Amino acid sequence: MTREEQKFARELKKPLAKTCKEVGKKRGWKTIAGSQYQVREGMLYVLMATQSVWDCHALKMNLYFKPVALDEIYWEVFQMADVAAEQPFSFHVRGAFTARGLWLPNWQAEIAGLEELETVVEGIFDQAEEKVAENQFPDIASFRRRLEEEDRAHHALSIILCLLLEEKYPEAMEAIQAALDRGDSGSFSRENGRRSIMEDARDWCAARL
């Protein structure tokens, strides 16, 4: 970037965060650590607008979503429900130990100057609302099927958590064992790494078979 572009990037940073918060609030979104979020019919949607590191006049948007219940079953299986219960709701958004959601392809918006920031941000939320409307799920099963269509291996843990929520324990146990057989720990562990969430899920599921 040129010096002029670097200056613009610096000048845009704080107003961008402030405007996203203000516009989001008017539309029913809450803010935590620069992310906007809301819950619709049990589904958590999280929107992040950031400056492009390559182009100071480009804003990059990321939107992901997941059922709130996915975190709740995650915490129960991972034996941290009591700890999670003491956290604010925003823990669903910013917590390190939370179930992974599904990311939509990111998109960009162009901004020529600070004078058009509010208009650009309004457009960002318009697009986000459209994407939210296109990604509604009536139940956990429909969300699970979307994960399976995207990438079964990548979303293995979330798919298993969905199966547990659906009380499909034989199917869940089969998926858990397949993950363990291929060395998939679920990327979360406790007891200083000695106990993986997949092992916890196996035992939790076995107790219900």
Side-chain angles (χ1 to χ4, degrees):
M1 288 187 186
T2 65
R3 288 185 178 180
E4 190 68 23
E5 289 172 333
Q6 291 173 349
K7 181 175 181 289
F8 177 71
R10 289 193 300 271
E11 291 175 343
L12 178 62
K13 188 174 183 180
K14 287 185 178 180
L16 173 62
K18 181 175 182 289
T19 305
C20 284
K21 182 176 181 178
E22 291 172 348
V23 172
K25 185 177 181 179
K26 289 190 301 182
R27 293 169 174 249
W29 294 74
K30 296 182 179 180
T31 300
I32 180 68
S35 297
Q36 325 303 319
Y37 69 95
Q38 66 173 217
V39 176
R40 296 189 182 186
E41 298 183 355
M43 189 71 65
L44 171 68
Y45 297 89
V46 181
L47 172 67
M48 287 167 282
T50 57
Q51 296 173 272
S52 169
V53 297
W54 309 111
D55 182 356
C56 69
H57 292 285
L59 303 179
K60 185 176 75 170
M61 274 62 67
N62 291 282
L63 180 67
Y64 82 87
F65 50 90
K66 63 182 174 182
V68 173
L70 208 63
D71 284 334
E72 294 168 352
I73 190 68
Y74 170 101
W75 295 328
E76 184 175 342
V77 168
F78 207 40
Q79 301 185 25
M80 58 173 290
D82 291 343
V83 174
E86 298 174 353
Q87 306 300 318
F89 182 85
S90 58
F91 189 62
H92 286 276
V93 181
R94 302 294 295 179
F97 291 96
T98 55
R100 290 172 178 162
L102 183 62
W103 292 84
L104 293 180
N106 61 50
W107 73 98
Q108 288 194 343
E110 298 297 319
I111 178 167
L114 291 174
E115 68 280 357
E116 62 180 48
L117 178 57
E118 185 171 354
T119 300
V120 171
V121 170
E122 290 281 4
I124 288 171
F125 276 91
D126 285 342
Q127 290 177 290
E129 293 285 357
E130 290 177 6
K131 293 178 185 296
V132 168
E134 293 168 358
N135 291 277
Q136 298 284 316
F137 301 89
D139 51 34
I140 295 296
S142 62
F143 181 75
R144 172 177 54 82
R145 288 192 290 270
R146 174 66 173 273
L147 294 176
E148 292 170 341
E149 291 169 0
E150 291 284 331
D151 188 333
R152 282 176 178 265
H154 180 73
H155 295 299
L157 177 59
S158 292
I159 291 169
I160 288 165
L161 294 174
C162 286
L163 289 169
L164 295 179
L165 284 169
E166 296 173 72
E167 299 184 359
K168 294 188 173 184
Y169 301 127
E171 294 93 329
M173 183 60 81
E174 183 178 348
I176 292 166
Q177 194 57 57
L180 289 170
D181 288 346
R182 64 175 179 267
D184 183 355
S185 66
S187 300
F188 295 98
S189 63
R190 56 188 180 85
E191 297 181 1
N192 293 321
R194 294 192 298 271
R195 182 78 177 176
S196 76
I197 192 171
M198 283 297 185
E199 292 171 308
D200 282 336
R202 177 194 60 200
D203 295 348
W204 194 93
C205 186
R208 288 155 178 80
L209 282 171

